[in-house]
Amino acid sequence: MTCVVQLSAPWREPAEVLSAFAGEPWALGLVTGGTGARWSYVARAPSATLTHRAGEAGQPFARLRDLLGPPAAPATDGPPFQGGVVGLAAYELGDHVEALGLARQPDWPDLAAARYDALLAFDRRAGKVIAVGRAGDHDTAQARARAALGWLDAAPRAPRGGVLAGPLQASDAAAYEAAVEEVVARIRAGEIFQANIARAWTCALAAGVQPFDLFARLLDQSAAPFAAYLRLPGLALVSNSPERFLQVREGAAQTKPIKGTRPRGADPASDAALAAELLASDKDRAENLMIVDLMRNDLARVCAPGSVKVPALWALESFANVHHLVSTVTGALSPGRDALDLLAAAFPPGSITGAPKVQAMKVIAELETPRGPYCGSLFWAGADGGFDSSVLIRTAACVQTAGGWRVEARAGAGIVEGSDPHAERLETEAKIAALANALTEAPPA
């Protein structure tokens, strides 16, 4: 039997609370921004952790299931996530789904996960904070909830002003356009239908600046639906992702792939024109539809026959720097299947690989260096079977060095037969703009 205790407190901004202990290993923030935002989470001091690197013994998905533990009955009220596992799945975790012999970045594991039996859930709609404690008995669960409530008493760190990093160094533009040309040629030769090809930007954080400062700046300037911060020993992930990968609630599965992009306009008229252009684009619709079909196939591997549907196709969603086409695919998990089965069936996300997925991944491996966290997923898996996850785009991978923090961020574009190399390069620059501005521009006084 599992007991869950929930204690309430007045509203606080989640980033403000997280700032007090953001430098601790395994400090965590999942912050929902944008229209309709409700639940966010902050956690620290996990009960158990898991790090799996290439070549280590054991199967990472099986180790993840062991970390989560036996299923527990869902609580009747409270936040969707009431304790369980939060994990960072690097793109190369896909090598454990299809053995492709992918190279790895030296710093990042394939999987880093932790079990949090105490957390703070922030209900923006109700204007309150809920401290959650989970344990096998009521007294321990209550003690954990009270400990989490005590995190609210820590003094917050003041927001960082000024410029956070030196100039961004972009990978070679001509080389990227040449890679797009090669992918187009391989599509015309019949090898693949689509591949998502990315380019990289790197920089060093300024003296004294921490990865959390970038996270706080992004929340202030362009908060996204799946903003996230995870501190690992010597590493930090800062994500401002707009894209859901997989969600499971009471056996109902959902994915919302993004394909199709236009920059935001300088004024309302040009902005509306760019949005209309995207909605009318046959090329972008075809790109989106390919990935919808791929995700339908991935969900069908673990969903009941006939249950996979597409309730929304080519919906327009607008963010700080870009408009996107977003579709929704749903399904009902088959009896005996759960969210971790779905994760293994669908990883890595189809929207950032291509179609067919395995061959597209082979092409990506030829044209890019190992991705690490970029285009992987950050997820939470509740002990009660609930699950939610993002696609790690608009994400900074931060590595601590003797001289400070170095940062890598990437942005990609889905390449199809009709792709123009120059236009695809400009699309990557539109996608990286919010992250680049947060790093290299001082906020208004």
Side-chain angles (χ1 to χ4, degrees), residues 254-270:
Q254 181 193 86
T255 184
K256 297 190 70 173
I258 288 176
K259 274 295 163 198
T261 304
R262 289 293 185 280
R264 298 300 302 265
D267 54 69
S270 63

Side-chain angles (χ1 to χ4, degrees), residues 100 129 303 309 369 427-428:
L100 301 178
V129 182
C303 285
K309 309 291 184 185
T369 57
E427 181 175 315
T428 68

Side-chain angles (χ1 to χ4, degrees), residues 33-293:
T35 304
R38 183 175 182 184
W39 291 105
S40 297
Y41 305 95
V42 165
R44 67 194 291 201
S47 304
T49 63
L50 160 65
T51 301
H52 190 99
R53 293 184 178 274
E56 288 189 11
Q59 209 283 343
F61 290 100
R63 295 183 68 192
L64 180 62
R65 189 176 293 280
D66 289 343
L67 181 66
L68 181 59
T76 55
D77 56 6
F81 182 46
Q82 299 180 16
V85 167
V86 174
L88 165 59
Y91 174 83
E92 284 77 23
L93 183 66
D95 214 17
H96 299 274
V97 178
E98 293 283 349
L100 301 178
L102 299 177
R104 304 300 205 273
Q105 288 192 9
D107 299 300
W108 292 92
D110 290 353
L111 176 66
R115 188 178 71 244
Y116 296 92
D117 292 320
L119 58 87
L120 294 173
F122 297 76
D123 186 350
R124 188 173 296 275
R125 188 180 302 169
K128 65 180 180 178
V129 182
I130 302 171
V132 180
R134 173 181 290 274
D137 63 274
H138 180 272
D139 288 348
T140 304
Q142 185 173 56
R144 287 174 174 169
R146 290 193 181 282
L149 201 65
W151 303 345
L152 296 170
D153 297 330
R157 184 171 180 232
R160 182 86 183 198
V163 173
L164 300 181
L168 281 176
Q169 301 294 322
S171 60
D172 184 69
Y176 181 77
E177 293 190 15
V180 173
E181 289 178 351
E182 180 174 342
V183 172
V184 170
R186 294 169 81 156
I187 292 170
R188 289 173 177 165
E191 180 181 350
I192 53 175
F193 300 111
Q194 179 180 167
N196 192 90
I197 304 300
R199 52 192 299 234
W201 284 259
T202 57
C203 68
L205 295 184
V209 174
Q210 299 294 312
F212 177 78
D213 297 317
L214 173 60
F215 180 63
R217 182 75 57 85
L218 285 166
L219 288 180
D220 183 58
Q221 294 182 351
S222 57
F226 293 93
Y229 172 87
L230 178 62
R231 183 73 154 82
L232 301 173
L235 303 168
L237 182 88
V238 175
S239 183
N240 204 38
S241 175
E243 183 171 1
R244 168 171 284 144
F245 177 29
L246 302 167
Q247 181 193 64
V248 175
R249 288 186 177 175
E250 298 180 348
Q254 181 193 86
T255 184
K256 297 190 70 173
I258 288 176
K259 274 295 163 198
T261 304
R262 289 293 185 280
R264 298 300 302 265
D267 54 69
S270 63
D271 191 59
L274 286 162
E277 177 187 303
L278 176 60
L279 283 168
S281 169
D282 290 338
K283 181 257 185 189
D284 289 285
R285 284 173 174 246
E287 182 182 337
N288 188 288
L289 186 59
M290 287 182 204
I291 302 306
V292 166
D293 285 342

